[in-house]
Each structure stands twice: as C-alpha cells, then as structure tokens.
Amino acid sequence: MSSSARPRMTGIGRVLVIVYAIMALAATGRSFVQIAQRFDEAPLAYTLSAVSAVVYVVATLALVFAGRRGWYLVAWIAIGFELVGVLVIGTLSLMMPELFAHDTVWSWYGRGYVFIPLVLPFLGLWWLITHRPGARARATEHAVAAP
C-alpha cells in the first residue's frame, strides 16, 4: 500500500471503508436471497437491490484504493450513483409505493438499514473531498520548497 493511500486507512477513513464493506455484504446477501427465492414477486425491487449491492462493492474497493487517481474517480462515480439512487428510490418508494411491491436496500431511504444508505454517501463524498490523492504530496512539496 502506498503512503498516499495510507491516510484513508486510519481513523474515520477505516470506519467508512468498514461500513461500506458491511453494506456490500448485507446488500449482496439480501439481493441473492430475494432473487433466488422470490424474483417473480418483485423483479424491479430485487434487481434494484442487486444494483445497490454492486454499487457498495465497487465503492468499497474504490475507497480502499482511492489514493490512485483512477480509483478516486471510480469512488466519486460509485458514491455519486449511490446518492442519486437512494434519493430517487427513497422518494419513489414514498410517493409511488405501488412500484415497489417489496422493499429494496434503498427503499424509504434505507429504512431497513437504519437509514445508513441515506447518510453513507454524504460521508463518502465528504471523505473524498477532504482526502484527494496527491493533495498531501503537493502540500509537502510546497512546504519543502518554501524558504
């Protein structure tokens, strides 16, 4: 692991990655059971649960490797998609509950997951904003270059 990625893996960064990993496992497990047992009852809801599982897996990996510019961009895309997904699905599940015969991970803004899906993308985006790759290296270079 490079030193530029190390700050993400300490303190709050480590907690954020762990919560994303737990959400990835929970969403993957939920969608697998839903699709395997009752897909014909609510295909839209269960497909959305599977999509959220993929998003959480990608976001987790991207946060772990976000010290590299490519992964940093992937993290922004995944967490941005997560935020839009939870807001859109959460709002639709309130306004048009007939669309969702069964709950998804993001239904009711993540009510089934203690609203963690609603809060998590805001924390993830905050973390990405405050921990840009190379920002620490540039700050060190400027400090060394200053007389």
Side-chain angles (χ1 to χ4, degrees), residues 1-14 17 63-68 127 131 133 136:
M1 189 179 285
S2 70
S3 62
S4 65
R6 191 170 308 281
R8 282 175 180 69
M9 296 297 101
T10 61
I12 294 173
R14 182 176 292 172
V17 168
L63 284 171
V64 168
F65 299 114
R68 300 178 188 137
W127 187 255
H131 293 82
R136 184 175 171 173

Coordinates of all heavy atoms in Angstrom, one line a residue, residues 1-14 17 63-68 127 131 133 136:
M1 N 0.9 -1.2 0.0 CA 0.0 0.0 0.0 C 0.9 1.2 0.0 O 1.8 1.3 0.8 CB -0.9 0.0 1.2 CG -2.0 1.0 1.2 SD -3.0 1.0 2.6 CE -4.0 -0.4 2.2
S2 N 0.6 2.2 -0.9 CA 1.4 3.4 -1.0 C 1.1 4.3 0.2 O 0.1 4.3 0.8 CB 1.2 4.1 -2.3 OG -0.1 4.6 -2.3
S3 N 2.1 5.2 0.5 CA 1.9 6.1 1.6 C 0.8 7.1 1.3 O 0.1 7.6 2.2 CB 3.2 6.9 1.9 OG 3.6 7.6 0.7
S4 N 0.5 7.4 0.0 CA -0.6 8.4 -0.3 C -2.0 7.7 0.0 O -2.9 8.5 0.3 CB -0.6 8.8 -1.8 OG -0.8 7.7 -2.6
A5 N -2.1 6.4 0.0 CA -3.4 5.8 0.3 C -3.5 5.5 1.8 O -4.6 5.4 2.3 CB -3.5 4.5 -0.4
R6 N -2.4 5.5 2.5 CA -2.4 5.2 4.0 C -3.4 6.1 4.8 O -4.1 5.6 5.6 CB -1.0 5.2 4.6 CG -1.0 4.7 5.9 CD 0.5 4.5 6.4 NE 1.3 3.7 5.5 CZ 1.3 2.4 5.4 NH1 0.5 1.7 6.1 NH2 2.1 1.8 4.6
P7 N -3.5 7.4 4.6 CA -4.4 8.2 5.4 C -5.9 7.8 5.3 O -6.6 8.0 6.2 CB -4.2 9.6 4.8 CG -2.9 9.7 4.2 CD -2.7 8.3 3.7
R8 N -6.3 7.2 4.2 CA -7.6 6.7 4.1 C -7.9 5.5 5.0 O -9.0 5.2 5.4 CB -7.9 6.3 2.7 CG -8.2 7.4 1.8 CD -8.4 7.0 0.4 NE -8.6 8.1 -0.4 CZ -7.7 9.1 -0.7 NH1 -6.6 9.0 -0.2 NH2 -8.1 10.1 -1.4
M9 N -6.8 4.8 5.4 CA -7.0 3.6 6.1 C -6.7 3.8 7.6 O -6.4 2.8 8.3 CB -6.0 2.5 5.6 CG -6.4 2.1 4.1 SD -8.0 1.3 4.0 CE -8.9 2.7 3.4
T10 N -6.9 5.0 8.1 CA -6.7 5.2 9.5 C -8.0 6.0 10.0 O -8.6 6.7 9.2 CB -5.5 6.1 9.8 OG1 -5.6 7.3 9.1 CG2 -4.2 5.3 9.4
G11 N -8.3 5.9 11.2 CA -9.4 6.7 11.8 C -10.7 6.5 11.1 O -11.2 5.4 10.8
I12 N -11.3 7.7 10.8 CA -12.6 7.7 10.1 C -12.6 7.0 8.8 O -13.6 6.4 8.4 CB -13.1 9.2 10.1 CG1 -13.4 9.7 11.5 CG2 -14.4 9.2 9.2 CD1 -13.7 11.1 11.5
G13 N -11.5 7.2 8.0 CA -11.4 6.5 6.7 C -11.5 5.0 6.8 O -12.2 4.4 6.0
R14 N -10.9 4.4 7.8 CA -11.0 3.0 8.1 C -12.5 2.6 8.4 O -13.0 1.6 7.9 CB -10.1 2.5 9.2 CG -10.1 1.0 9.4 CD -9.2 0.6 10.4 NE -7.8 0.8 9.9 CZ -6.7 0.6 10.5 NH1 -6.7 0.3 11.8 NH2 -5.5 0.8 10.0
V17 N -14.7 2.7 5.3 CA -14.5 1.5 4.4 C -15.1 0.3 5.1 O -15.8 -0.5 4.4 CB -13.0 1.3 4.2 CG1 -12.7 -0.1 3.6 CG2 -12.4 2.4 3.3
L63 N -12.8 3.1 -2.5 CA -12.3 3.8 -1.3 C -11.0 3.2 -0.8 O -10.1 4.0 -0.3 CB -13.4 3.8 -0.2 CG -14.6 4.7 -0.4 CD1 -15.6 4.5 0.7 CD2 -14.1 6.2 -0.4
V64 N -10.9 1.9 -0.8 CA -9.6 1.3 -0.4 C -8.5 1.8 -1.2 O -7.4 2.0 -0.7 CB -9.8 -0.2 -0.4 CG1 -8.4 -0.9 -0.2 CG2 -10.7 -0.7 0.7
F65 N -8.7 1.9 -2.5 CA -7.6 2.2 -3.5 C -7.7 3.6 -4.0 O -7.0 4.0 -5.0 CB -7.6 1.2 -4.7 CG -7.4 -0.2 -4.3 CD1 -8.5 -1.1 -4.5 CD2 -6.2 -0.6 -3.8 CE1 -8.3 -2.4 -4.1 CE2 -6.0 -1.9 -3.4 CZ -7.1 -2.8 -3.6
A66 N -8.5 4.5 -3.3 CA -8.7 5.9 -3.8 C -7.5 6.8 -3.8 O -7.5 7.9 -4.2 CB -9.8 6.5 -3.0
G67 N -6.3 6.3 -3.2 CA -5.1 7.0 -3.3 C -4.6 7.1 -4.7 O -3.7 8.0 -5.0
R68 N -5.1 6.3 -5.6 CA -4.7 6.4 -7.0 C -5.8 7.1 -7.7 O -7.0 6.9 -7.5 CB -4.6 4.9 -7.6 CG -3.5 4.1 -6.8 CD -3.5 2.7 -7.4 NE -2.6 2.0 -6.5 CZ -2.8 0.7 -6.1 NH1 -3.9 0.1 -6.5 NH2 -2.0 0.1 -5.4
W127 N -15.5 12.6 2.6 CA -14.2 12.0 2.7 C -13.4 12.2 1.4 O -12.2 12.5 1.5 CB -14.3 10.5 3.1 CG -13.0 9.9 3.4 CD1 -12.3 9.0 2.6 CD2 -12.2 10.1 4.6 NE1 -11.1 8.7 3.2 CE2 -11.0 9.3 4.4 CE3 -12.4 10.9 5.7 CZ2 -10.1 9.3 5.4 CZ3 -11.4 10.8 6.7 CH2 -10.3 10.1 6.5
H131 N -9.9 14.3 1.1 CA -8.7 13.4 1.0 C -8.4 13.1 -0.5 O -8.4 11.9 -0.9 CB -8.9 12.1 1.8 CG -9.0 12.3 3.2 ND1 -10.1 12.7 3.9 CD2 -8.0 12.1 4.2 CE1 -9.9 12.8 5.2 NE2 -8.6 12.5 5.4
P133 N -6.3 12.5 -3.8 CA -5.0 11.9 -4.0 C -4.0 12.9 -4.4 O -4.3 13.8 -5.2 CB -5.2 10.8 -5.1 CG -6.5 11.2 -5.8 CD -7.3 12.0 -4.7
R136 N -1.8 15.7 -0.3 CA -0.8 15.6 0.8 C 0.6 15.7 0.2 O 1.5 16.5 0.7 CB -0.9 14.3 1.5 CG 0.0 14.2 2.7 CD -0.4 12.9 3.5 NE 0.7 12.7 4.5 CZ 0.6 11.8 5.4 NH1 -0.4 11.0 5.4 NH2 1.5 11.7 6.3

